[in-house]
Every structure is written in structure tokens, then in C-alpha cells.
Amino acid sequence: MTDKKSSFIAIIGQTNAGKSTLLNTLIGKKVSIISHKVQTTRRKILGICIKDDTQLVFIDTPGIFKAKNRLEKAMVQAAWDSIYDADQIVLIVDAAKNDLSVSLSVAEKFKETKKPRVLVLNKVDLLQKEKLLEIITKFAPLNFDHIFMISATKGDGIGDLVQTLCQNSQPGPWFYMEDQSSDLSNQVQAEEMTREKIYEFLHQELPYSIHVVTQNFEILPKGEIKITQSIVVERDSQRGIVLGERGAKLKTIGTSARKEMEALFGTKVHLFLHVTVDEKWQNRKSYYDQQGLDFES
Ligand SMILES: Nc1nc2c(ncn2[C@@H]2O[C@H](COP(=O)(O)OP(=O)(O)OP(=O)(O)O)[C@@H](O)[C@H]2O)c(=O)[nH]1
Ligand SMILES: [Mg+2]
């Protein structure tokens, strides 16, 4: 018999609601990348933490939105799948957003599940208390088991949320090593860091046409890391935009990504970025396999 407890918890919600920000705050380090743009997270990402006798395994998911192309459909499908994989479901809502229709329809979809359902109203730092009451009234017919009001960026309300998730956890083994905080390899985490900077420094639609792939990841004799990555774009014209005038844009992306990598790995990183063109990357099965996404959907 074990007196240990564990629980898989899906964090789902509309794109940009703050799922990845919440994951990072829960884990206490940057596991998942964040941006002010929509559709930042493209795959399921596990963040693992231990609270007393309980191992909580959070599943950060791509945001739910009206998917059009193959990649978008696979991303949204990954979010729905995580509801089935999880023991508890956290629906996170951007409370500062006026239109709640997407969040309400997502909640409707898993209303009948027997799993604990938690409603989290996020970004409360941006709005008045009265507005929150209005939102809670709208969600009342969906009978959530618990409701929390939080600020994922500031950490407000997180302690109470974690306590409830622990209380809902069932006796069972821990599935991950005690010092493991994510299921992403260092290589994938480094790719994600570069992708985050692409979201930050490139405008409009361009980040959606891009993915990052590792060419080489090498630990040097002194413990420093040498990383070579390709930034893959869909068209030749996009190549020039990523490079910028005399390569200035690529340099900004690289410097910023390298700093994040050094903070994450705790060592000096030598980062080399190349821009390559692959018109069809969004239709290549290998990309979906790497990301743990379903190619068919
Ligand atoms: N003011 C405020 N902003 C927040 C809060 N939580 C998240 N944000 C911001 O909301 C934006 C989206 O955050 P993400 O964590 O990337 O959102 P997401 O739900 O993971 O988005 P996708 O991966 O695109 O589905 C970022 O600009 C965050 O800084 C919060 O509590 N307060
Ligand atoms: Mg995200």
C-alpha cells in the first residue's frame, strides 16, 4: 500500500487565456512558452510538481479556437484529447475578455464527465470585482465543482487552487522522478525558446508559418552547450523578413533566445540559427510525430 497520491490535470481553454502562464506559475519555472499572440502552444506539454504527498502532473494544451488548416485542427484535437487523459479538468477563462461564448461552449462539452471540473477565472488583476460576479452567473448552469479567481502572472489565488487539486487527487504511484519538472527534452525546450522569440519579434501572421528544428545539440567539454537550429519558413519572401536588414532581426531573435536558454540550462550556450524554406512543412507527418500531434485530424 502506498500513501502517495497523484493526479493528471488538463489545463484547457480558449487561446490566449493564460494556460501556459498558469502552468509556469504552478511549476515555479518556465516550462511552456508564452506570448501575447494567439495559438502559441502547439502541443501538449507536461509540467510536474510535488505538493507534500501528491504528485500533480499538469497538461498544458493548445488553445481552443476555430481551426482551419491541418496543423490547427491537430492542435485543437490535442486539447480535446487531454480531457480524456486527465483525472481533473481545469478550464481557464480570460475574465478580462468580453466575449465568453467560446469558453462557455468548451465547458458545455465536458459538463457530463464525472471527473472534478474546476473553473479558473484568470487575469483578475485587469478587472473589477463586479465583473467577476457577472461571469460567475453566466457559468452557474454548468455546475463546476470549484471556482477560483486568479492572476497567473502575479500568482494570486494559486495556493488555494493547488490545495483543491491535491484534495481531489487519488491514492496512486508517482509517475515521474521527483526532480523532473517537464516531459520536454532540453533540445525541444531550446526549440520552443527560439519559437517564443519569433512570436515576440516577428509581426502579424509570420510566426504561424514558422517552426524550429534542431540540427545539432552538443555538450562541449567544459559543460557549455552548442546548439544549431533551423528556423523553417514556408516561402522565400519570409526568409528575408526573418533575417531582417543585414541579418539584424535574426540576431535579435538569437540573442534573446540564447539568454533564455542560458538561464534554463545554467550554462553558457552557443546558439547558431539558420533560416531554411520548406513550403510543405505543415503537411509533413514527421513534424506531427515530433510534436505528438495527430497527423490525420
Ligand atoms: N494581466 C494578465 N495577463 C496575463 C495573465 N495570465 C496570462 N496573461 C497574458 O496573457 C497572454 C497569453 O498568455 P499565455 O499563457 O501564452 O496564454 P495561453 O492560454 O497559453 O495561449 P495559447 O498557447 O496561445 O493557447 C500573455 O501575454 C500573458 O502575459 C494574468 O493573470 N494577468
Ligand atoms: Mg499556451
Side-chain angles (χ1 to χ4, degrees):
M1 269 295 281
T2 171
D3 45 15
K4 283 184 171 168
K5 296 197 294 176
S6 57
S7 193
F8 281 79
I9 302 150
I11 304 176
I12 61 157
Q14 193 170 5
T15 183
N16 217 39
K19 298 176 291 300
S20 303
T21 308
L22 173 61
L23 182 87
N24 293 344
T25 302
L26 287 162
I27 305 306
K29 71 186 240 196
K30 186 151 169 182
V31 169
S32 196
I33 62 166
I34 290 167
S35 91
H36 64 279
K37 286 195 165 73
V38 295
Q39 299 164 37
T40 306
T41 306
R42 284 191 184 155
R43 58 185 290 160
K44 282 190 266 184
I45 293 172
L46 300 188
I48 305 142
C49 71
I50 290 163
K51 189 84 190 146
D52 303 324
D53 55 356
T54 309
Q55 186 170 63
L56 298 171
V57 184
F58 295 96
I59 314 169
D60 183 18
T61 61
I64 293 173
F65 61 100
K66 208 167 178 333
K68 292 188 212 84
N69 61 35
R70 171 180 261 156
L71 175 58
E72 291 176 355
K73 284 179 186 158
M75 285 160 55
V76 173
Q77 189 57 45
W80 289 126
D81 289 349
S82 70
I83 292 180
Y84 298 99
D85 299 341
D87 305 310
Q88 307 187 52
I89 303 157
V90 169
L91 174 69
I92 175 163
V93 173
D94 180 345
K97 215 170 152 43
N98 285 325
D99 184 0
L100 298 172
S101 56
V102 172
S103 298
L104 285 162
S105 68
V106 171
E108 190 70 47
K109 287 245 167 71
F110 64 91
K111 194 171 93 175
E112 303 301 337
T113 176
K114 299 273 183 295
K115 299 171 182 180
R117 291 174 304 129
V118 182
L119 176 66
V120 167
L121 306 183
N122 188 31
K123 308 196 188 182
V124 298
D125 52 295
L126 296 178
L127 76 170
Q128 313 272 320
K129 282 251 157 58
E130 303 83 68
K131 175 96 192 295
L132 288 169
L133 283 176
E134 220 177 274
I135 299 174
I136 290 169
T137 312
K138 287 195 178 136
F139 279 92
L142 292 148
N143 290 320
F144 273 87
D145 300 301
H146 314 272
I147 301 178
F148 292 94
M149 288 160 250
I150 68 157
S151 168
T153 41
K154 297 197 163 166
D156 299 342
I158 300 293
D160 291 345
L161 170 64
V162 170
Q163 201 181 0
T164 295
L165 297 172
C166 285
Q167 280 162 3
N168 287 340
S169 300
Q170 300 296 317
W174 290 2
F175 292 93
Y176 296 90
M177 305 290 281
E178 283 179 46
D179 58 355
Q180 190 174 348
S181 55
S182 162
D183 67 330
L184 298 186
S185 65
N186 287 344
Q187 185 174 310
V188 173
Q189 265 182 317
E191 290 169 3
E192 287 285 274
M193 302 245 137
T194 302
R195 208 165 61 77
E196 183 183 70
K197 300 310 161 198
I198 288 168
Y199 274 67
E200 186 175 337
F201 293 110
L202 295 175
H203 299 299
Q204 290 150 358
E205 299 299 309
L206 198 51
Y208 306 108
S209 300
I210 290 174
H211 87 97
V212 178
V213 64
T214 306
Q215 306 287 295
N216 186 46
F217 191 104
E218 194 183 340
I219 315 276
L220 302 174
K222 278 194 218 148
E224 296 177 357
I225 308 175
K226 183 181 166 196
I227 305 171
T228 309
Q229 295 173 333
S230 263
I231 295 177
V232 183
V233 296
E234 285 177 318
R235 288 190 297 279
D236 214 29
S237 57
Q238 295 170 334
R239 207 172 163 269
I241 304 173
V242 177
L243 285 168
E245 214 171 314
R246 294 195 202 150
K249 187 63 96 183
L250 187 65
K251 192 160 182 233
T252 306
I253 292 168
T255 305
S256 184
R258 176 179 53 75
K259 284 185 184 152
E260 290 254 357
M261 290 172 200
E262 289 181 335
L264 179 74
F265 300 135
T267 185
K268 193 167 166 51
V269 170
H270 305 269
L271 176 65
F272 300 90
L273 296 177
H274 303 283
V275 187
T276 54
V277 182
D278 177 3
E279 273 174 38
K280 299 218 164 71
W281 72 262
Q282 288 204 28
N283 286 309
R284 291 195 198 283
K285 188 171 180 300
S286 54
Y287 174 75
Y288 292 73
D289 291 346
Q290 273 163 14
Q291 305 290 315
L293 293 171
D294 187 354
F295 183 66
E296 309 308 333
S297 56

Short mmCIF file of all heavy atoms in Angstrom, two decimals, residues 201-228:
data_model
loop_
_atom_site.label_atom_id
_atom_site.label_comp_id
_atom_site.label_asym_id
_atom_site.label_seq_id
_atom_site.Cartn_x
_atom_site.Cartn_y
_atom_site.Cartn_z
N PHE A 201 9.23 38.85 -31.74
CA PHE A 201 9.90 39.84 -32.59
C PHE A 201 9.39 39.88 -34.03
O PHE A 201 9.77 40.79 -34.78
CB PHE A 201 11.41 39.61 -32.58
CG PHE A 201 12.03 39.88 -31.23
CD1 PHE A 201 12.52 38.85 -30.45
CD2 PHE A 201 12.07 41.18 -30.73
CE1 PHE A 201 13.08 39.11 -29.20
CE2 PHE A 201 12.61 41.45 -29.48
CZ PHE A 201 13.12 40.41 -28.71
N LEU A 202 8.60 38.90 -34.45
CA LEU A 202 8.07 38.96 -35.82
C LEU A 202 6.57 39.24 -35.75
O LEU A 202 5.88 38.72 -34.88
CB LEU A 202 8.33 37.66 -36.57
CG LEU A 202 9.79 37.34 -36.83
CD1 LEU A 202 9.94 35.98 -37.47
CD2 LEU A 202 10.43 38.41 -37.71
N HIS A 203 6.10 40.05 -36.69
CA HIS A 203 4.74 40.56 -36.54
C HIS A 203 3.71 39.77 -37.33
O HIS A 203 4.03 38.94 -38.16
CB HIS A 203 4.72 42.04 -36.91
CG HIS A 203 5.63 42.81 -36.00
ND1 HIS A 203 5.43 42.85 -34.64
CD2 HIS A 203 6.78 43.47 -36.24
CE1 HIS A 203 6.41 43.55 -34.09
NE2 HIS A 203 7.24 43.93 -35.03
N GLN A 204 2.48 40.12 -37.02
CA GLN A 204 1.30 39.58 -37.70
C GLN A 204 1.33 38.06 -37.83
O GLN A 204 1.58 37.37 -36.87
CB GLN A 204 1.13 40.28 -39.06
CG GLN A 204 0.71 41.71 -38.83
CD GLN A 204 1.18 42.63 -39.91
OE1 GLN A 204 1.87 42.24 -40.85
NE2 GLN A 204 0.81 43.88 -39.78
N GLU A 205 1.12 37.58 -39.07
CA GLU A 205 0.88 36.15 -39.27
C GLU A 205 2.17 35.32 -39.37
O GLU A 205 2.12 34.10 -39.34
CB GLU A 205 0.07 35.93 -40.55
CG GLU A 205 -1.30 36.60 -40.53
CD GLU A 205 -2.18 36.07 -39.40
OE1 GLU A 205 -2.30 34.83 -39.28
OE2 GLU A 205 -2.71 36.88 -38.63
N LEU A 206 3.29 35.97 -39.53
CA LEU A 206 4.52 35.23 -39.84
C LEU A 206 4.86 34.08 -38.86
O LEU A 206 5.20 32.99 -39.30
CB LEU A 206 5.70 36.20 -39.97
CG LEU A 206 6.92 35.65 -40.70
CD1 LEU A 206 6.54 35.03 -42.04
CD2 LEU A 206 7.96 36.72 -40.88
N PRO A 207 4.73 34.28 -37.54
CA PRO A 207 5.07 33.18 -36.62
C PRO A 207 4.30 31.89 -36.89
O PRO A 207 4.79 30.80 -36.60
CB PRO A 207 4.70 33.74 -35.24
CG PRO A 207 4.82 35.21 -35.39
CD PRO A 207 4.37 35.51 -36.80
N TYR A 208 3.11 32.02 -37.49
CA TYR A 208 2.30 30.82 -37.74
C TYR A 208 2.82 30.01 -38.93
O TYR A 208 2.42 28.87 -39.14
CB TYR A 208 0.82 31.21 -37.94
CG TYR A 208 0.33 32.03 -36.77
CD1 TYR A 208 0.08 33.38 -36.89
CD2 TYR A 208 0.19 31.44 -35.51
CE1 TYR A 208 -0.31 34.14 -35.80
CE2 TYR A 208 -0.19 32.18 -34.42
CZ TYR A 208 -0.44 33.53 -34.57
OH TYR A 208 -0.81 34.26 -33.47
N SER A 209 3.69 30.63 -39.72
CA SER A 209 4.26 29.93 -40.88
C SER A 209 5.62 29.32 -40.55
O SER A 209 6.33 28.85 -41.43
CB SER A 209 4.47 30.92 -42.03
OG SER A 209 3.26 31.48 -42.39
N ILE A 210 5.99 29.37 -39.28
CA ILE A 210 7.36 29.01 -38.90
C ILE A 210 7.39 27.85 -37.91
O ILE A 210 6.53 27.77 -37.03
CB ILE A 210 8.04 30.25 -38.27
CG1 ILE A 210 8.31 31.29 -39.36
CG2 ILE A 210 9.34 29.87 -37.54
CD1 ILE A 210 8.85 32.60 -38.86
N HIS A 211 8.39 26.99 -38.07
CA HIS A 211 8.71 26.10 -36.96
C HIS A 211 10.23 26.00 -36.82
O HIS A 211 10.98 26.41 -37.70
CB HIS A 211 8.02 24.74 -37.10
CG HIS A 211 8.75 23.73 -37.91
ND1 HIS A 211 9.54 22.76 -37.36
CD2 HIS A 211 8.82 23.53 -39.24
CE1 HIS A 211 10.04 21.99 -38.31
NE2 HIS A 211 9.63 22.45 -39.46
N VAL A 212 10.64 25.51 -35.67
CA VAL A 212 12.08 25.47 -35.36
C VAL A 212 12.49 24.03 -35.17
O VAL A 212 11.79 23.26 -34.49
CB VAL A 212 12.37 26.28 -34.07
CG1 VAL A 212 13.85 26.21 -33.72
CG2 VAL A 212 11.92 27.73 -34.22
N VAL A 213 13.60 23.66 -35.79
CA VAL A 213 14.07 22.28 -35.66
C VAL A 213 15.57 22.28 -35.34
O VAL A 213 16.32 23.13 -35.82
CB VAL A 213 13.70 21.46 -36.92
CG1 VAL A 213 14.40 21.99 -38.15
CG2 VAL A 213 13.98 19.99 -36.75
N THR A 214 15.98 21.34 -34.49
CA THR A 214 17.39 21.27 -34.09
C THR A 214 18.22 20.52 -35.13
O THR A 214 17.84 19.44 -35.57
CB THR A 214 17.50 20.52 -32.74
OG1 THR A 214 16.64 21.16 -31.81
CG2 THR A 214 18.93 20.54 -32.21
N GLN A 215 19.33 21.12 -35.50
CA GLN A 215 20.29 20.45 -36.38
C GLN A 215 21.35 19.74 -35.55
O GLN A 215 21.81 18.67 -35.90
CB GLN A 215 20.99 21.47 -37.28
CG GLN A 215 20.04 22.34 -38.06
CD GLN A 215 19.39 21.57 -39.18
OE1 GLN A 215 20.05 21.15 -40.08
NE2 GLN A 215 18.11 21.34 -39.13
N ASN A 216 21.71 20.38 -34.45
CA ASN A 216 22.77 19.81 -33.62
C ASN A 216 22.64 20.34 -32.19
O ASN A 216 22.36 21.52 -31.99
CB ASN A 216 24.14 20.20 -34.21
CG ASN A 216 25.27 19.52 -33.48
OD1 ASN A 216 25.20 18.32 -33.21
ND2 ASN A 216 26.29 20.27 -33.12
N PHE A 217 22.82 19.46 -31.22
CA PHE A 217 22.75 19.85 -29.80
C PHE A 217 23.90 19.12 -29.12
O PHE A 217 23.88 17.90 -28.99
CB PHE A 217 21.40 19.43 -29.22
CG PHE A 217 21.10 20.00 -27.86
CD1 PHE A 217 20.20 21.06 -27.72
CD2 PHE A 217 21.72 19.50 -26.72
CE1 PHE A 217 19.92 21.59 -26.46
CE2 PHE A 217 21.45 20.02 -25.47
CZ PHE A 217 20.54 21.07 -25.34
N GLU A 218 24.89 19.86 -28.70
CA GLU A 218 26.13 19.22 -28.28
C GLU A 218 26.64 19.81 -26.97
O GLU A 218 26.72 21.03 -26.82
CB GLU A 218 27.16 19.52 -29.40
CG GLU A 218 28.40 18.71 -29.36
CD GLU A 218 29.36 19.17 -30.49
OE1 GLU A 218 28.90 19.81 -31.47
OE2 GLU A 218 30.55 18.89 -30.35
N ILE A 219 26.93 18.94 -26.01
CA ILE A 219 27.53 19.42 -24.75
C ILE A 219 29.04 19.47 -24.96
O ILE A 219 29.66 18.44 -25.28
CB ILE A 219 27.20 18.46 -23.57
CG1 ILE A 219 25.72 18.05 -23.55
CG2 ILE A 219 27.66 19.07 -22.23
CD1 ILE A 219 24.75 18.96 -22.92
N LEU A 220 29.62 20.63 -24.80
CA LEU A 220 31.06 20.80 -25.01
C LEU A 220 31.82 20.35 -23.76
O LEU A 220 31.23 20.25 -22.67
CB LEU A 220 31.36 22.27 -25.35
CG LEU A 220 30.62 22.79 -26.59
CD1 LEU A 220 30.85 24.28 -26.79
CD2 LEU A 220 31.05 22.03 -27.84
N PRO A 221 33.13 20.09 -23.89
CA PRO A 221 33.91 19.54 -22.77
C PRO A 221 33.75 20.33 -21.46
O PRO A 221 33.69 19.76 -20.39
CB PRO A 221 35.34 19.59 -23.29
CG PRO A 221 35.21 19.53 -24.76
CD PRO A 221 33.93 20.20 -25.11
N LYS A 222 33.64 21.68 -21.52
CA LYS A 222 33.53 22.45 -20.28
C LYS A 222 32.11 22.54 -19.74
O LYS A 222 31.83 23.29 -18.80
CB LYS A 222 34.05 23.87 -20.53
CG LYS A 222 35.56 23.98 -20.46
CD LYS A 222 35.92 25.46 -20.37
CE LYS A 222 37.16 25.79 -21.16
NZ LYS A 222 37.14 27.14 -21.72
N GLY A 223 31.18 21.82 -20.38
CA GLY A 223 29.78 21.84 -19.93
C GLY A 223 28.94 22.89 -20.65
O GLY A 223 27.74 22.99 -20.45
N GLU A 224 29.60 23.68 -21.50
CA GLU A 224 28.84 24.65 -22.30
C GLU A 224 28.06 23.88 -23.38
O GLU A 224 28.41 22.74 -23.69
CB GLU A 224 29.79 25.66 -22.94
CG GLU A 224 30.51 26.48 -21.88
CD GLU A 224 31.53 27.45 -22.46
OE1 GLU A 224 31.73 27.46 -23.69
OE2 GLU A 224 32.14 28.19 -21.67
N ILE A 225 27.03 24.52 -23.93
CA ILE A 225 26.21 23.81 -24.93
C ILE A 225 26.26 24.54 -26.27
O ILE A 225 26.11 25.78 -26.31
CB ILE A 225 24.73 23.69 -24.46
CG1 ILE A 225 24.66 23.10 -23.05
CG2 ILE A 225 23.92 22.83 -25.41
CD1 ILE A 225 23.25 23.07 -22.47
N LYS A 226 26.45 23.76 -27.32
CA LYS A 226 26.44 24.33 -28.67
C LYS A 226 25.16 23.84 -29.37
O LYS A 226 24.94 22.62 -29.48
CB LYS A 226 27.68 23.86 -29.43
CG LYS A 226 27.79 24.46 -30.81
CD LYS A 226 29.03 23.95 -31.51
CE LYS A 226 28.95 24.28 -32.99
NZ LYS A 226 29.89 23.53 -33.78
N ILE A 227 24.34 24.80 -29.77
CA ILE A 227 23.05 24.43 -30.39
C ILE A 227 22.95 25.05 -31.78
O ILE A 227 23.17 26.25 -31.94
CB ILE A 227 21.87 24.93 -29.52
CG1 ILE A 227 21.97 24.41 -28.08
CG2 ILE A 227 20.53 24.52 -30.14
CD1 ILE A 227 20.97 25.04 -27.12
N THR A 228 22.63 24.23 -32.76
CA THR A 228 22.37 24.75 -34.11
C THR A 228 20.93 24.42 -34.46
O THR A 228 20.51 23.26 -34.36
CB THR A 228 23.33 24.13 -35.15
OG1 THR A 228 24.67 24.27 -34.66
CG2 THR A 228 23.21 24.81 -36.49
#
